[in-house]
Amino acid sequence: MAMGWAVGNRVGFARASSQPQRVTETEGEPPMTRAYYSAVLDHPLDEVWSLIRDFNNYPAYIDGVSESVIEDDKRGDEVGAIRRFCYLGNWIRQRLVDHSDRQHTLAYAGLEALPYPQDDGSRSPAPTHYQGTMHLRPVIEGNRTLIEWSVALDSEPADAERWQALFASWIPDWTDSLARTLARAHPRSS
């Protein structure tokens, strides 16, 4: 089942917005574009966290990630660890910038500007820098998990909407992939 996306959506509701949310990180800095998605996963928080807490575990739950390696012999939960992974044939490097078992949160930043994927031949947006955050919260009813996944994009102002729309389509796909992995590993009886 496809899940929609929205900036500030509520659990169970998803509406597309044609306007990216702009968030100013620091006074005097240019506004950043943010893609945000949330969903309820039909699995307990501990099951979900045990799958995503290791920064190097991307291939286990994201379709299209064929390989991942942590550089410099760091642990997958060690802030500062760098993962190099292959996503749909492209190698990407990210640094783990925050990790909390207590808060069930991890944040990562791209080390190189991400080039815009080839598309319809129109002018491609300039590459963007980004930082993503995954945060889990318990949903008491049904012993489920709310996942909030956001990506802050530091893109050229003229390219912000295209980058936001792209990540707003990718994050639900990644969340769906996570849900499918959990369903295979921990089937729930209906």
Side-chain angles (χ1 to χ4, degrees), residues 55-129:
F55 192 50
N56 199 35
N57 211 21
Y58 234 28
Y61 66 91
I62 298 295
D63 293 338
V65 176
S66 59
E67 190 176 340
S68 181
V69 176
I70 297 286
E71 298 177 0
D72 299 326
D73 295 322
K74 297 208 179 211
R75 295 184 326 270
D77 62 353
E78 186 176 345
V79 171
I82 296 172
R83 73 176 167 198
R84 182 172 38 90
F85 64 96
C86 186
Y87 179 61
L88 301 176
N90 300 297
W91 285 95
I92 300 168
R93 291 176 74 229
Q94 298 173 338
R95 179 184 314 277
L96 184 62
V97 296
D98 187 33
H99 187 282
S100 173
D101 285 323
R102 196 170 136 238
Q103 297 295 320
H104 301 100
T105 301
L106 67 82
Y108 55 90
L111 293 178
E112 293 96 18
L114 186 67
Y116 198 83
Q118 296 296 330
D119 59 348
D120 61 7
S122 63
R123 183 193 74 79
S124 286
T128 190
H129 289 277

Side-chain angles (χ1 to χ4, degrees), residues 20-190:
Q21 178 183 7
R22 305 225 186 252
V23 191
T24 302
E25 296 294 321
T26 316
E27 185 127 346
E29 295 286 322
M32 294 188 73
T33 299
R34 182 174 172 238
Y36 172 86
Y37 181 75
S38 65
V40 173
L41 302 171
D42 251 350
H43 297 274
L45 185 136
D46 290 340
E47 283 179 9
V48 180
W49 183 244
S50 69
L51 182 59
I52 70 170
R53 74 172 300 281
D54 183 343
F55 192 50
N56 199 35
N57 211 21
Y58 234 28
Y61 66 91
I62 298 295
D63 293 338
V65 176
S66 59
E67 190 176 340
S68 181
V69 176
I70 297 286
E71 298 177 0
D72 299 326
D73 295 322
K74 297 208 179 211
R75 295 184 326 270
D77 62 353
E78 186 176 345
V79 171
I82 296 172
R83 73 176 167 198
R84 182 172 38 90
F85 64 96
C86 186
Y87 179 61
L88 301 176
N90 300 297
W91 285 95
I92 300 168
R93 291 176 74 229
Q94 298 173 338
R95 179 184 314 277
L96 184 62
V97 296
D98 187 33
H99 187 282
S100 173
D101 285 323
R102 196 170 136 238
Q103 297 295 320
H104 301 100
T105 301
L106 67 82
Y108 55 90
L111 293 178
E112 293 96 18
L114 186 67
Y116 198 83
Q118 296 296 330
D119 59 348
D120 61 7
S122 63
R123 183 193 74 79
S124 286
T128 190
H129 289 277
Y130 61 95
Q131 181 167 317
T133 302
M134 298 170 73
H135 185 196
L136 304 180
R137 298 173 192 260
V139 175
I140 304 306
E141 186 272 321
N143 194 18
R144 299 178 298 161
T145 302
L146 171 68
I147 182 170
E148 295 177 293
W149 198 330
S150 64
V151 178
L153 301 156
D154 185 11
S155 59
E156 294 294 324
D159 299 331
E161 287 187 36
R162 287 185 67 193
W163 274 112
Q164 192 276 342
L166 182 63
F167 272 88
S169 70
W170 281 347
I171 299 170
D173 289 344
W174 299 333
T175 305
D176 286 346
S177 178
L178 171 61
R180 286 189 301 274
T181 300
L182 287 161
R184 286 189 301 270
H186 306 281
R188 291 191 125 179
S189 53
S190 302

